[in-house]
Amino acid sequence: KTMQKYGLHKHKNKLKLLCLSGVSPKRKFVKMLKEINEVDEDLFLMVINFKNKSLAKQIDNIPIKHDHIHLEWTDEFYELLQFCDGIITKAGPGVVAESLFFKKYLVLYHYIPGQEKGVKDYVVKNKLGEYIKKPEDIKKIIPHIHRLKQTQEEYDELNMSLFFWNKENLEEVFNLA
């Protein structure tokens, strides 16, 4: 149903990125979306801003050149999560754990010091994703995700890292938060 509702079936051959704003700094998220516009990859973006009206207006004012959907809210988060190739989000333990469960590459762009730093460090240390300090760094990461998707050996290695990610790791991520 979700595939048809949002026309997702039309984008199967594109690099599909789920971009989640959370309660992250709005300016950084908006700037990052603008930076994604400069990436020369065939992308499909699924942007969710979780009912933040002022952020929704800012996102709507970005002339996003890539095919995309912009949702203020969705009850179909898990369907979108399964469909995407990578997730751009803050280091909240819930979304990180769900992303790892579905074996999705993570790009973390924000964390709450003292609360989510351990989650960010865990993802980076275990090579389950990347952390970007500046919005413009996203332009370097997207081609890397695309290469991972296209290079079977690296992608299999990433999936093996994620395969060994289990319940104990889930508990560790939540304990780090």
Side-chain angles (χ1 to χ4, degrees):
K1 278 183 164 178
T2 304
M3 294 279 282
Q4 292 174 336
K5 180 177 177 179
Y6 298 116
L8 303 180
H9 60 285
K10 299 175 191 173
H11 306 288
K12 285 185 180 178
N13 296 325
K14 296 182 179 192
L15 182 64
K16 298 166 291 298
L17 300 173
L18 183 57
C19 307
L20 308 175
S21 69
V23 293
S24 61
K26 289 182 220 167
R27 270 189 257 142
K28 189 172 186 179
F29 187 76
V30 169
K31 175 101 170 88
M32 192 174 49
L33 287 177
K34 289 177 181 176
E35 294 290 336
I36 289 171
N37 255 347
E38 297 179 23
V39 174
D40 279 338
E41 299 280 341
D42 198 8
L43 303 177
F44 178 66
L45 305 176
M46 297 163 280
V47 181
I48 305 175
N49 67 272
F50 298 103
K51 296 186 179 180
N52 184 325
K53 299 284 185 196
S54 66
L55 181 57
K57 287 178 187 175
Q58 291 177 51
I59 292 169
D60 287 339
N61 287 328
I62 301 170
I64 299 174
K65 74 175 186 179
H66 302 288
D67 290 338
H68 69 283
I69 57 172
H70 173 210
L71 305 169
E72 288 189 40
W73 181 258
T74 183
D75 290 327
E76 297 149 328
F77 175 73
Y78 290 106
E79 290 86 349
L80 296 175
L81 186 59
Q82 291 174 50
F83 178 74
C84 74
D85 298 308
I87 299 164
I88 301 171
T89 186
K90 73 178 208 65
V95 171
V96 168
E98 291 163 337
S99 301
L100 295 175
F101 177 80
F102 286 110
K103 298 177 177 25
K104 303 300 177 179
Y105 194 79
L106 284 158
V107 178
L108 305 175
Y109 63 87
H110 180 72
Y111 65 91
I112 298 170
Q115 185 176 341
E116 297 170 339
K117 184 181 183 311
V119 174
K120 185 257 314 170
D121 292 344
Y122 182 87
V123 167
V124 172
K125 178 182 138 204
N126 290 288
K127 299 180 182 169
L128 302 169
E130 309 266 346
Y131 172 70
I132 59 171
K133 293 179 182 176
K134 301 176 289 192
E136 53 270 19
D137 292 344
I138 193 70
K139 292 187 288 192
K140 298 173 193 163
I141 303 299
I142 290 174
H144 174 69
I145 298 170
H146 203 190
R147 274 192 307 281
L148 275 176
K149 183 181 174 189
Q150 292 176 331
T151 309
Q152 196 62 43
E153 186 178 310
E154 282 185 67
Y155 197 67
D156 288 345
E157 189 177 305
L158 171 66
N159 277 331
M160 285 309 291
S161 297
L162 294 169
F163 178 75
F164 291 111
W165 195 86
N166 55 36
K167 183 180 177 215
E168 288 76 32
N169 301 120
L170 178 65
E171 290 170 358
E172 185 176 344
V173 166
F174 277 101
N175 287 334
L176 292 170

